[in-house]
Amino acid sequence: MGEGLIRLGVIGAGNIAAVHIEQFQRLPEQCAVVAITDVNMELARSRAEQFRIPHVYGSIEELIASPEIDAVIICVPNRYHAPYTVQALQAGKHVLLEKPMGVNLEAAREILRASKASSGVLMIAHQMRFEAVPMQIRERIERGELGKIYTAKAGWLRRKGIPGWGSWFTQKEVSGGGPLIDIGVHMLDLSLYLMGNPKPVAVTGATYAEFGPKRRGIGGWGTPNWDGVFDVEDLATAMIRMEDGSTLTLDVSWAVHMDTDSAPFVHLMGSEGGASYRGDAGKLLSEQDDQLVDIPLQAPAEDEGARLRMSRHFLECIREGKEPLIPVLSGYTTNLILDAIYRSSQLGREIELDWDM
């Protein structure tokens, strides 16, 4: 794509849409958010007024079909990711898709196939890859400072954080699951990326719902619907085994009785050194002359933020026709693992991953 502003349309006008709009509007020399739509037209008009977006489309289909839009940001509930992403790619649009890629594995397959048949850029919005500390850790890993990463532990254990009880967040048919697919997907993506993208081959997992059915552990995100449904997990645990013998353990919760700071974390253990990331800080760990060595890592004082870096990267991929840092196969891989964790919990045994796409 040549010079000129990249014209963006936003599908969905909820909270996460506002986050994306705010970031792209910080790049006025590269793009313009020109349109928005939502099934709730009142919300779409309100968001358009808030951010001075010139056009509010009467339907998602109308926005996708518009020749005045180059790329779309998809911010709708998980169940609708596949149909609108496929439709947008077939219409020749570039797509920034909120995580998870699909509500389930079959939906992820549909998106993968549509992406292969399209020349458009498709990127999954895993902003944690663009956080300053993980970027520093990745740089050290690429220089070989950790050696072979043979195991990792990752998670995000929120003590009291069930979002929007009774809304689409807690309805499996619409969301696909609870904290595993909501925040666990971030930790899976980031961990596999830092480990060098080893190929996962088998998964053992278990899920639990001890808070949600009792209407306890309620957090501040989303709007509760007390007439709604809670039929997802509120805690999940898993071990993922890779083709090269390395392993990853994952623990995530929306609610748990545990001494936790509720921050995301990744611990990488390598043959020559280790790395830890928690919240917005991290450290490198090694041993030298029989002494333990810790090197603290933190974001620069004037760090512009992960989401702005991610937004700029998406625009660069459109302009330069290059593959995103978060390629479609990464999104598919996390969906494949999520599906296996849920099935492992249901069946009570290890699940071997089927890579037939």
Side-chain angles (χ1 to χ4, degrees), residues 261-327:
D261 59 6
S262 299
F265 64 88
V266 179
H267 302 292
L268 302 165
M269 285 147 270
S271 57
E272 306 304 317
S276 288
Y277 164 61
R278 190 174 200 105
D280 57 2
K283 63 174 65 173
L284 299 169
L285 307 105
S286 62
E287 182 178 335
Q288 188 172 351
D289 298 329
D290 204 29
Q291 298 294 315
L292 298 179
V293 177
D294 291 5
I295 301 173
L297 300 172
Q298 58 187 18
E302 301 300 322
D303 184 44
E304 67 180 5
R307 287 192 177 275
L308 185 61
R309 278 191 286 271
M310 181 178 71
S311 301
R312 186 185 292 113
H313 176 70
F314 178 60
L315 298 174
E316 287 174 359
C317 289
I318 293 173
R319 288 193 188 283
E320 300 173 19
K322 64 183 183 182
E323 184 176 65
L325 181 66
I326 310 140

Side-chain angles (χ1 to χ4, degrees), residues 78-326:
N78 302 345
R79 179 171 64 181
Y80 306 107
H81 284 191
Y84 294 136
T85 299
V86 170
Q87 192 175 334
L89 290 170
Q90 289 176 344
K93 308 301 185 193
H94 306 287
V95 179
L96 178 61
L97 174 62
E98 254 305 320
K99 57 78 194 169
M101 189 162 100
V103 68
N104 53 36
L105 183 57
E106 186 49 47
R109 280 200 186 101
E110 290 176 24
I111 294 171
L112 182 67
R113 290 167 186 153
S115 178
K116 287 180 176 178
S118 168
S119 60
V121 170
L122 170 60
M123 186 168 111
I124 317 302
H126 280 297
Q127 80 280 356
M128 294 184 76
R129 290 198 190 193
F130 296 90
E131 293 284 356
V133 171
M135 288 176 69
Q136 293 173 47
I137 292 172
R138 172 75 179 187
E139 185 180 338
R140 300 294 187 109
I141 291 169
E142 289 178 340
R143 296 208 303 249
E145 293 184 18
L146 272 64
K148 172 182 168 53
I149 298 173
Y150 54 88
T151 192
K153 296 183 182 296
W156 197 336
L157 291 158
R158 291 178 176 169
R159 185 169 175 181
K160 183 175 165 56
I162 292 177
W165 193 102
S167 71
W168 73 266
F169 279 107
T170 67
Q171 297 178 35
K172 187 171 180 63
E173 184 183 357
V174 187
S175 65
L180 181 59
I181 199 168
D182 178 34
I183 53 180
V185 68
H186 274 308
M187 307 322 297
L188 277 173
D189 178 79
L190 181 60
S191 300
L192 292 171
Y193 172 63
L194 293 175
M195 292 176 76
N197 297 309
K199 183 179 181 180
V201 293
V203 167
T204 303
T207 62
Y208 305 90
E210 299 295 334
F211 286 76
K214 303 169 188 171
R215 301 192 180 190
R216 297 168 65 185
I218 309 301
W221 181 271
T223 303
N225 173 14
W226 302 116
D227 295 322
V229 173
F230 185 103
D231 63 357
V232 297
E233 82 283 357
D234 46 43
L235 183 144
T237 183
M239 188 182 83
I240 301 100
R241 186 162 48 85
M242 314 299 171
E243 191 173 52
D244 65 1
S246 62
T247 55
L248 167 63
T249 59
L250 176 72
D251 295 290
V252 292
S253 71
W254 277 341
V256 64
H257 291 313
M258 178 182 174
D259 184 10
T260 173
D261 59 6
S262 299
F265 64 88
V266 179
H267 302 292
L268 302 165
M269 285 147 270
S271 57
E272 306 304 317
S276 288
Y277 164 61
R278 190 174 200 105
D280 57 2
K283 63 174 65 173
L284 299 169
L285 307 105
S286 62
E287 182 178 335
Q288 188 172 351
D289 298 329
D290 204 29
Q291 298 294 315
L292 298 179
V293 177
D294 291 5
I295 301 173
L297 300 172
Q298 58 187 18
E302 301 300 322
D303 184 44
E304 67 180 5
R307 287 192 177 275
L308 185 61
R309 278 191 286 271
M310 181 178 71
S311 301
R312 186 185 292 113
H313 176 70
F314 178 60
L315 298 174
E316 287 174 359
C317 289
I318 293 173
R319 288 193 188 283
E320 300 173 19
K322 64 183 183 182
E323 184 176 65
L325 181 66
I326 310 140

